Amino acid sequence: FGFARIDAAEQGVPALGYVLANRALGAALWSRLTATADDRLSVHCPASVSGFSAGRDRLEVEVRQEGATHRIACRLLVAADGAQSAVRRTLGIDATTWEYDQVAVITNVLARKFHDHVAYERFTPTGPIAVLPMNEGRCTVVWTLAPERAEQVMARSDEDFLGELQNAFGMRLGRFTRVGSRHAYPLALTRAESQIAERVVIIGNAAQGLHPIAGQGFNLGLRDVATLAELLAEHRTDPGSALMLERYREWRASDRRTVVAFTDGLVRLFGNPLAGVRMARDLGLLAFDLLPPAKAALSRLSMGVSGRLPRLARGLPLA
């Protein structure tokens, strides 16, 4: 029976967040990247890093592309190659992984009612269901399930899948009428034991892979990028210096620690099956709904506007 609502207008912002289709984001980034390519910027894509060697003042990276190997000299290597980072493994940097024994089933749906730009998250015994507003009246669904249950749901017909999703989510958007392709991903918390090495910085999911319960993984990665860009602008003479890397590690430590603890804590809190804990959760949500300062604090954390922010995260130019 517990519920809470957070409204953008009450927080003095036009929106608490935005949902983008990955292909739209990718197309925009690729367009910008290829438009700025010149003698100083070469693009190798699709490609993979097959190895690298470190010198005192530079790295030499081996990149394989369409059967050919290219050698690229650089003063800083940025590892942004995902939770199973090959660069991180090559460096011998271990990562701590906590398996949640949950699978996220992700798809797009269309409902009879317009979503009115409202995001929903319902907590269930198997994990949260997030229904997020998209363009053209569609919604993205992130449905967290036990692995066996996820396998069953993935095998259902579209009609049966929508029926089961309807039962789990309810009628807040009316009947779900259409569903897109479905994808399933096992969920885990992954944390690299170090975010820096000699002339290497590890960012995004390669540094920390989070549960999607609060939608914070991508946001955290964006702040990694913004912080690194600001420090690179300040360390133009040697962008891979030990001083720059240490400043990056120190700057990102607090934000990373806070968001990891926040998302992991939510998973454990709402996944606890004990009756007393369930009652406390319901009462806690109702109390939260009645406390504007608590909503403001959670909103600032979720929007990534608390703590020390890099200039790009504040909408300011690097210079």
Side-chain angles (χ1 to χ4, degrees):
F1 60 83
F3 66 88
R5 296 183 178 92
I6 302 177
D7 186 82
E10 291 179 358
Q11 304 305 321
V13 293
L16 294 166
Y18 297 91
V19 183
L20 289 176
N22 192 49
R23 64 179 179 274
L25 180 62
L29 292 172
W30 181 250
S31 175
R32 181 64 180 269
L33 182 64
T34 52
T36 55
D38 54 27
D39 293 339
R40 298 171 298 167
L41 173 65
S42 58
V43 178
H44 300 270
C45 182
S48 60
V49 174
S50 56
F52 53 88
S53 57
R56 187 175 63 85
D57 59 353
R58 71 173 190 171
L59 287 170
E60 190 169 86
V61 184
E62 291 184 359
V63 177
R64 292 191 61 81
Q65 182 182 21
E66 298 178 347
T69 300
H70 306 272
R71 294 183 180 274
I72 303 172
C74 62
R75 308 190 77 175
L76 175 68
L77 175 63
V78 180
D81 52 342
Q84 306 303 319
S85 171
V87 174
R88 189 187 66 216
R89 290 199 303 270
T90 302
L91 286 167
I93 296 176
D94 291 331
T96 302
T97 301
W98 175 270
E99 301 288 347
Y100 287 118
D101 197 29
Q102 294 178 337
V103 172
V105 175
I106 301 175
T107 188
N108 289 340
V109 298
L110 193 64
R112 290 195 184 278
K113 293 182 181 178
F114 179 55
H115 51 60
D116 202 25
H117 311 290
V118 174
Y120 299 89
E121 187 161 31
R122 181 175 186 186
F123 297 98
T124 78
T126 63
I129 302 174
V131 179
L132 311 173
M134 291 280 288
N135 61 329
E136 300 175 347
R138 299 173 300 155
C139 294
T140 288
V141 173
V142 183
W143 189 3
T144 308
L145 295 162
E148 301 81 7
R149 180 81 174 103
E151 188 175 348
Q152 295 170 2
V153 164
M154 288 292 291
R156 296 283 192 265
S157 67
D158 286 355
E159 183 179 0
D160 289 343
F161 176 86
L162 286 176
E164 295 199 30
L165 177 63
Q166 195 85 63
N167 289 335
F169 177 73
M171 299 297 295
R172 294 165 184 81
L173 290 171
R175 286 286 174 192
F176 293 127
T177 59
R178 295 178 61 185
V179 61
S181 58
R182 292 168 245 163
H183 306 275
Y185 303 95
L187 300 177
L189 169 62
T190 304
R191 286 178 290 184
E193 294 189 356
S194 177
Q195 290 179 283
I196 60 173
E198 186 176 7
R199 296 202 170 274
V200 178
V201 60
I202 303 171
I203 69 171
N205 283 354
Q208 63 274 318
L210 309 183
H211 193 288
I213 189 169
Q216 291 301 304
F218 181 66
N219 296 344
L220 196 60
L222 285 180
R223 295 197 293 277
D224 286 347
V225 172
T227 302
L228 181 60
E230 184 165 329
L231 291 174
L232 289 176
E234 296 176 7
H235 291 261
R236 293 179 183 275
T237 56
D238 188 356
S241 68
L243 174 60
M244 192 283 293
L245 292 170
E246 184 58 27
R247 287 185 64 193
Y248 175 84
R249 186 194 64 78
E250 291 180 355
W251 190 341
R252 296 301 302 138
S254 177
D255 187 20
R256 183 191 191 215
R257 184 170 55 249
T258 299
V259 174
V260 168
F262 171 56
T263 56
D264 186 54
L266 284 179
V267 175
R268 297 174 189 275
L269 173 64
F270 285 97
N272 192 310
L274 296 178
V277 177
R278 292 203 304 269
M279 178 63 72
R281 285 197 300 255
D282 282 331
L283 294 173
L285 278 171
L286 290 175
F288 174 81
D289 197 51
L290 298 172
L291 295 172
K295 288 186 180 183
L298 180 63
S299 298
R300 289 183 61 81
L301 176 62
S302 299
M303 291 188 291
V305 294
S306 59
R308 181 188 177 193
L309 294 177
R311 295 178 64 87
L312 290 177
R314 289 179 281 146
L316 301 174
L318 289 177

